[in-house]
Amino acid sequence: MKKDHNQLNWLMVSLIAFNMVWGLGNVVNNYSTQGISVIVSWILILAIYFIPYALIVGQLGSTFKESGGGVSEWVEKTSTKRLAYFAAWTYWVVHIPYLAQKPQRILISLGWVLQGNDKFVSGLSIQWVVILCLIIFGIFLYLSTKGLMTLKVIGGLAGSAMLIMSFLFVLLAVGVPFINPGMQFATQHMEQVSTYIPNFDFSYFTTISLLVFAVGGAEKISPYVNQTRNPAREFPKGMIVMAIMVGLSAILGSLAMGMLFDSGHIPEDLMRNGAFQAFQILGKHWGVGNVLVIIYALTDMIGQIAALAFSIDAPLQILLHNADDEYIPSWLRKRSKKGVLTNGYLLTGILVSLLIVVPLFGIQEIDGLVKWMTNLNSVVMPMRYLWVFFAYIMLNRAWKKYKDAEYKMTKSPKLGFIIGAWCFLFTAFACILGMVPKVDFKVDPVAWQFSLLTNILTPLVLIALGIILPWIARREKKKV
């Protein structure tokens, strides 16, 4: 077989990248905070942030072809081993809030699968939600130590099915006016441009972190850079096509949400139930009842289960696979006879369980819990993107050493430095402003104070743990 048959073209790259980056939840979450004006926000974020982000990943991946460790290896090759450790630690630790959220999503999807509505979760007290989430997480934490390759394969299929459902959502929503010309759009004045212009006030800028969170994760694409037939031409073309696909999905998906949900009176439970309710409404319009919502809920539940299992193990393996004893203590690197990172799983279990339990001290209902956890993830998860931009900044500082890469976003190291610095500062800006609670202080001052405190303390505590470990490792080496 010829070599070209084993390599990817731009279309394959764009589809793989799209599968890694995008999901219907991104549309629902951002519509719930900005309404129909999020369409302009999507256009802006794609132009000034996402496209350069994806192309930066392309250049880093092309420059460091043999780096299987991804971001941490990029940082090590462009700076120091100490900073590479912090990059690897950040990549792992930002998954703690992500893991804490997954049991909630599984529970919500399960309720829709069983009953075709949200009554199952809505009828639970916050205490019972926390208990059930702990049980779900505990089960999959244990199963992850046994290996879950079958579940991960099923999860991959579920991920592809979720993409199909995302496309189907847009097609079905756009098609409704053709089968029902008398349909009244939920959002008024959708034909007027003024309806889509955001109000660029302080409250608006506190929601940018959710947009950054939605389009982040492009660094996962890096292993595919040099599997393309012509990296200098095919990969950036694939990234641009992927960006167009993301943009169309975001814009058309938000338009569909505007047709189904009033942008001026967004339901309190939209972040929790929006995707399910949307398919339920579309099912009625198309005369198929609850079939669509059951299929979506089942697909979502399987995908969430697989994501939980995979995200317990994969980031931990990346952190501890070739862990340096100068930064990681031996007790954390310890493996069982079967190669299981016993204490790594234990540390994961403790941190995630604490984050699942913490809401008992400040949140009283499920919608507040979903909003808080989603917002916390939008503050913490983008912290790992900072290391991508840091590596790119350092790459441009050492331009002569790495000038022979097959693909370069720009031929000017000064321009590259400026673009990297812009993306770094924009991400940091979004994370910091994202800490501001999305709860109305006058309506629920306790939840507002709780959200602000946890949004600030969580990233600080997670970073502090990463600082403490090298100190423990040094003490351990001195004793030896």
Side-chain angles (χ1 to χ4, degrees), residues 26 29-34 42 205-216 271 371 374-379 382 430 434 438:
N26 295 327
N29 290 340
N30 283 282
Y31 185 87
S32 70
T33 58
Q34 292 192 28
W42 282 125
F205 288 106
T206 65
T207 65
I208 291 177
S209 61
L210 275 169
L211 292 165
V212 171
F213 179 39
V215 299
M271 193 172 282
K371 290 177 183 178
T374 303
N375 189 60
L376 181 63
N377 269 286
S378 77
V379 171
K438 308 303 180 286

